[in-house]
Amino acid sequence: MVEPPSVQDLPVMWLRDNCPCPRCRDPRNGQKLFQITELPADLALGAVRRTADGVEVDWAPDGHRSVYSAQWLAASRPGAPGPGDRRSETGKTLWTAADLHGRLPEAGWAEYLGDPEVKARVLESVIGLGFALLRDVPCREGQVLDVAQTFGYVRETNYGRLFDVRVEPDPNNLAFTGARITPHTDNPYRDPVPTLQLLHCLSNEAAGGDSGLVDGFRAAATLRAEDPEAFAVLTRTPVPFRFDDARTVLAADRPLIDVDAYGRIREVRFNNRSISTLRLPAGELDAFYRAYRTFAGIILRPELQLDFRLSPGDCLIFDNVRLLHARTAFEESGARHLQGAYADLDALAGTLAVLRRERAAAGGEFLDRLAELFAGEGAGAYLGERVTMAEHMLQTAARAERAGAPDALVAAALLHDVGHFQGPVSGAELMAGTDNRHSHTGADRLADWFGPEVTEPVRLHVAAKRYLCAVEPEYLGRLSEASVYTLQVQGGPMSAPEAAAYEADPYAADGVAVRRWDDEGKDPEVSAPGFAHFRPLLAALLRTV
């Protein structure tokens, strides 16, 4: 854990501006109740006192009192990494088509609606990868609006709250024909541009009409790496995007690649159909068109375009200021009908943040239950050993920690026997001759909260005992009497084929490591740290989505 900085080393105006007291912030919503100009110009620290969980500050010259937690001070110290701008390239996974071949980010509609974890993973994919695909969405007109409203608000445009992507007799956009559409972003002539687009497939029986996506951030990053000057030109040259029909005139002058104050890619607008006439000096026009052609060539590289076909019931959600979408030409006589809508990333990100907050609260409750197990059932005898169940698990974790094991393996060592608690078959029944498969029960129980780096060593720690008995002749002699007994109940030493299958498991070595610490964690003379010592480590490993 990072040590909190001394308040004497912090900028005083910044520290006071972040006072969390109810006079400075509304307790109901966290909003500030003062103007920066209301703080004394000669603000200074007065008395500083340590509290049980941080520091208390008396301010001069106005005597205001602030209390800051050590956790907040450590997390918010100047220069500390923050959540950052999720709109920029930082923290996103930039991809090529090969990266996602055979593993599109997708989920079923029923699971998305019914399971907050599935919903969070879908929304995280839209933020991190730029898109997600929902399957089996009901094929009824207007359903795309219901999809948008599960995470945000529909952005109405001149096309309406929703729009039909099908062949129209008098189209005001090439999208409403059967023509091939090359990779592009929508509505670049708007400011602000809709940052999300949804396309829901109602029918797709026409020959052709396959969909394609290009990661515009990857294309822009490739341009930056291969031709930095072209990248710079496209980030500083405003491009006139225009749309004009009988009822609408829209215009926005924005660069093809927009970057934030740190130079990170934040937005791509690319739509050759909507670029009007640039009016720049001749030399700047030459430089722009050279850079524009180079960027367009990168976007059209086959390795960057992910191709797939939307089927009825598929709903694609994608970042319209990052991903470029495309389609192949199709026979206009065939049935192809998609309905689309626009929405915005801020609402989606907010919904994801709420889901994560709720998940974090549930994670805290899960850790509370584990603490209760260690203090309650864990205080009982451990299957014929001279330590309690909790003492055994804590000793096992302490040995892993002293060995310098990764946090996930320390967690696995701590929790390896949770399957003995409240399982379908008790530990007592195991000692009576019935295998309670506690390693599998425990791993399955933990899988709701931890990844395989924690759960699989837990699942394998009993198999690891059987494996070691097969490959290390002297190992059996080091087992306790109770462990020798349970070995027979659990299947005895592995056969050669079983040992070979165990060795092929990617977590085999971790299972063996946990097993060895397990064997050593049965000493009644050893004192180990309590559950509270390991709780922050577990909290950091909890799956938030």
Side-chain angles (χ1 to χ4, degrees):
M1 182 179 296
V2 177
E3 286 294 320
S6 169
V7 292
Q8 287 86 350
D9 299 330
L10 298 175
V12 291
M13 195 65 72
W14 171 85
L15 188 62
R16 176 64 180 275
D17 188 44
N18 284 283
C19 175
C21 84
R23 289 173 56 195
C24 293
R25 289 182 180 268
D26 189 314
R28 296 164 298 182
N29 54 40
Q31 292 185 324
K32 290 180 182 175
L33 301 173
F34 63 92
Q35 298 295 324
I36 192 67
T37 53
E38 296 174 32
L39 300 182
D42 55 347
L43 189 67
L45 292 175
V48 177
R49 294 173 293 276
R50 288 199 171 277
T51 67
D53 182 39
V55 294
E56 184 177 72
V57 175
D58 289 340
W59 292 96
D62 61 352
H64 185 79
R65 179 168 293 175
S66 304
V67 178
Y68 303 94
S69 72
Q71 180 181 11
W72 182 87
L73 288 168
S76 306
R77 69 192 187 282
D85 178 6
R86 292 299 307 273
R87 288 281 303 278
S88 80
E89 63 184 300
T90 302
K92 296 186 185 296
T93 301
L94 309 190
W95 50 266
T96 66
D99 296 328
L100 296 178
H101 179 70
R103 54 185 193 94
L104 295 180
E106 62 182 56
W109 175 243
E111 292 76 20
Y112 170 83
L113 289 180
D115 188 337
E117 292 180 51
V118 173
K119 183 175 183 178
R121 285 198 293 272
V122 168
L123 301 186
E124 176 58 39
S125 292
V126 177
I127 296 289
L129 291 172
F131 76 105
L133 187 60
L134 291 174
R135 305 282 195 184
D136 302 318
V137 178
C139 287
R140 59 171 176 261
E141 296 202 12
Q143 179 67 34
V144 68
L145 301 178
D146 294 337
V147 177
Q149 289 164 348
T150 64
F151 58 76
Y153 310 95
V154 175
R155 174 87 171 270
E156 188 165 1
T157 70
N158 59 300
Y159 301 111
R161 280 175 56 78
L162 63 76
F163 51 89
D164 292 286
V165 183
R166 60 187 173 190
V167 175
E168 299 286 356
D170 185 23
N172 67 346
N173 192 302
L174 281 178
F176 309 139
T177 72
R180 169 180 176 249
I181 304 293
T182 55
H184 66 285
T185 63
D186 268 18
N187 287 219
Y189 35 75
R190 293 183 187 278
D191 196 7
V193 64
T195 50
L196 283 177
Q197 184 170 352
L198 297 85
L199 289 172
H200 179 213
C201 181
L202 299 177
S203 63
N204 195 4
E205 299 169 9
D210 291 348
S211 299
L213 292 174
V214 174
D215 186 350
F217 281 16
R218 168 53 72 93
T222 301
L223 177 67
R224 181 175 57 197
E226 295 180 359
D227 194 336
E229 178 54 32
F231 179 85
V233 167
L234 296 189
T235 62
R236 66 174 181 252
T237 305
V239 174
F241 292 103
R242 302 290 185 265
F243 177 85
D244 188 345
D245 69 5
R247 297 179 302 164
T248 307
V249 175
L250 295 166
D253 288 38
R254 301 295 301 167
L256 296 183
I257 303 171
D258 203 3
V259 296
D260 66 13
Y262 302 98
R264 301 174 300 196
I265 300 163
R266 193 175 190 272
E267 188 173 292
V268 170
R269 298 192 191 206
F270 192 94
N271 191 318
N272 65 296
R273 291 173 282 140
S274 302
I275 295 179
S276 185
T277 303
L278 279 78
R279 291 177 172 84
L280 298 170
E284 293 182 29
L285 285 172
D286 286 340
F288 169 79
Y289 273 96
R290 186 187 72 79
Y292 176 27
R293 283 178 58 87
T294 302
F295 189 37
I298 291 172
I299 286 170
L300 292 175
R301 290 178 183 176
E303 64 268 24
L304 291 192
Q305 182 162 315
L306 178 68
D307 294 314
F308 54 95
R309 185 174 180 83
L310 290 175
S311 299
D314 290 345
C315 186
L316 180 66
I317 308 167
F318 61 95
D319 182 340
N320 184 51
V321 290
R322 174 184 172 186
L323 295 198
L324 293 78
H325 60 290
R327 74 152 190 246
T328 60
F330 64 92
E331 295 291 337
E332 296 192 0
S333 59
R336 187 180 190 273
H337 185 193
L338 278 62
Q339 284 195 319
Y342 297 114
D344 283 297
L345 276 165
D346 58 351
L348 182 146
T351 299
L352 177 59
V354 170
L355 289 169
R356 284 177 167 163
R357 186 170 63 196
E358 293 171 348
R359 174 75 172 172
E365 294 171 0
F366 170 71
L367 294 182
D368 289 342
R369 292 194 297 273
L370 282 180
E372 291 168 3
L373 286 175
F374 273 73
E377 270 191 76
Y382 173 47
L383 307 183
E385 304 289 356
R386 294 184 298 157
V387 292
T388 68
M389 183 78 73
E391 288 171 338
H392 166 62
M393 295 166 74
L394 292 167
Q395 284 188 31
T396 304
R399 289 183 177 276
E401 189 175 55
R402 283 198 300 273
D407 286 353
L409 210 48
V410 174
L414 176 68
L415 303 175
H416 73 280
D417 272 346
V418 293
H420 283 312
F421 295 127
Q422 302 173 353
V425 181
S426 68
E429 289 173 290
L430 171 64
M431 298 307 292
T434 301
D435 185 4
N436 66 354
R437 291 178 58 80
H438 71 280
S439 58
H440 292 270
T441 300
D444 291 343
R445 185 178 299 169
L446 295 171
D448 285 341
W449 290 102
F450 299 104
E453 65 277 7
V454 174
T455 62
E456 295 318 290
V458 171
R459 191 183 308 279
L460 291 174
H461 82 275
V462 169
K465 177 172 71 170
R466 299 181 58 222
Y467 168 76
L468 289 171
C469 286
V471 301
E472 294 183 7
E474 69 281 5
Y475 174 76
L476 179 60
R478 296 198 298 268
L479 293 178
S480 68
E481 182 179 346
S483 196
V484 170
Y485 171 75
T486 58
L487 171 67
Q488 302 309 315
V489 177
Q490 293 160 340
M494 285 183 172
S495 65
E498 287 176 323
Y502 179 87
E503 290 169 349
D505 192 292
Y507 293 96
D510 289 344
V512 167
V514 170
R515 182 72 242 171
R516 294 193 191 279
W517 296 318
D518 177 353
D519 294 333
E520 297 166 353
K522 302 173 182 179
D523 189 340
E525 304 301 321
V526 170
S527 177
F531 181 83
H533 170 79
F534 296 103
R535 181 166 179 149
L537 177 148
L538 295 178
L541 291 168
L542 289 176
R543 286 170 38 194
T544 57
V545 294

